[in-house]
Amino acid sequence: MVEKLRLMAVHAHPDDESSKGAATMARYVAEGHEVMVVTCTGGEAGSILNPAMDRPEVLENMAEIRRAEMARAAEILGVQHRWLGFVDSGLPEGDPLPPLPEGCFALVPLEESTPPLVQVIREFRPHVIVTYDENGGYPHPDHIRCHEVSVAAFDAAGDPDRYPDLGEPWQPLKLYYSHGFSRAKLMAFHEALLAAGEESPYAEWLAGWGADRPDVMERVTTQVECADWFPVRDEALKAHATQIDPTSRWFAVSLETQREVWPTEEYELARSLVDSTVPEDDLFAGVREKVTA
């Protein structure tokens, strides 16, 4: 009898859960564990990135449509879902960068944005939490704030003196970071496509990768085998139709090639209150033994 474990993934916007770690979550759901996605904002400021959805009626109802997309993606992945209810900060562009809109998630003080996540942690009682690294995976202000809130809540949730009105204390046992794109992974796919006589969409991207820019693989401690759930991940991605163009480079590499070349999703173990030895192949490594002891 496998002990049911609980995993929580904290993300900034709807669609982030499907583009970062979705196959891992689907695997753990299939194995009988409980998984919850927490989305910090409604993604209201997101642009329409799929030309087929670039219509006035979609733009006018972006918040409602993105909520529906998130519900469908959660259903596909088999995960529970909670909104924290903060307002999308948008991605500032220009030089100099414009100020962020008043009241947006990135500007809400940590002492206000942390308690809602603490409450959800105490209700769901996850053994493991996954969020972004200190760079947010990429420097979107909401992603960076998501990291900060997640770390603060991880530390506060188990402290009975912090937020005593928000439920019984619960201390998650491990905290992981997911990162942005890996040069090693892009190169592996690029070379596999060229070897098959196919055009690679990654040539320009790799050519512009500065020699002084580190590869996130240098920080990875944990690679979870999850190729069997890549099709589920892709269906969840496509559920976010305003954000994901099904003809884009997200889907440039066949599932068969992905399975052969790179069948894992990557994480960095940032905090652990259990004994586990890196490198790992399981986010619950050490947790399983602790819970069943």
Side-chain angles (χ1 to χ4, degrees), residues 173-174 176 221-222 269 271-280 282-287 289:
L173 298 175
K174 297 176 87 174
Y176 285 94
T221 61
T222 311
L269 179 60
R271 307 267 187 91
S272 181
L273 303 180
V274 297
D275 292 330
S276 59
T277 302
V278 296
E280 306 172 314
D282 179 12
L283 299 183
F284 291 126
V287 174
E289 295 79 4

Side-chain angles (χ1 to χ4, degrees), residues 134-154:
E134 68 280 1
N135 301 309
Y138 77 107
H140 189 299
D142 284 340
H143 283 239
I144 294 171
R145 193 49 135 194
C146 179
H147 160 81
E148 295 168 344
V149 169
S150 299
V151 172
F154 182 92

Side-chain angles (χ1 to χ4, degrees), residues 13-18 42-73 83 88 234-248 250-251:
H13 312 104
D15 80 73
D16 289 330
E17 84 296 326
S18 296
E44 306 89 347
S47 302
I48 297 177
L49 303 179
N50 179 1
M53 295 291 287
D54 193 1
R55 307 189 301 270
E57 68 273 17
V58 174
L59 189 59
E60 291 168 5
N61 297 286
M62 180 67 92
E64 180 181 343
I65 290 171
R66 295 206 73 182
R67 290 185 75 89
E69 290 175 344
M70 182 65 241
R72 177 60 182 145
W83 299 97
D88 189 348
D234 285 1
E235 288 306 306
L237 269 171
K238 291 173 184 176
H240 293 283
T242 58
Q243 305 299 299
I244 304 296
D245 181 353
T247 66
S248 68
W250 279 111
F251 309 103

Side-chain angles (χ1 to χ4, degrees), residues 211-222:
D212 59 343
R213 178 182 171 187
D215 191 339
V216 297
M217 287 302 296
E218 297 172 9
R219 295 178 54 171
V220 165
T221 61
T222 311

Side-chain angles (χ1 to χ4, degrees), residues 13 41 44-46 86-93 97-109 140-142:
H13 312 104
T41 80
E44 306 89 347
F86 295 102
V87 176
D88 189 348
S89 305
L91 181 59
E93 296 179 299
L97 292 174
L100 294 172
E102 185 177 351
C104 70
F105 178 51
L107 295 183
V108 175
H140 189 299
D142 284 340

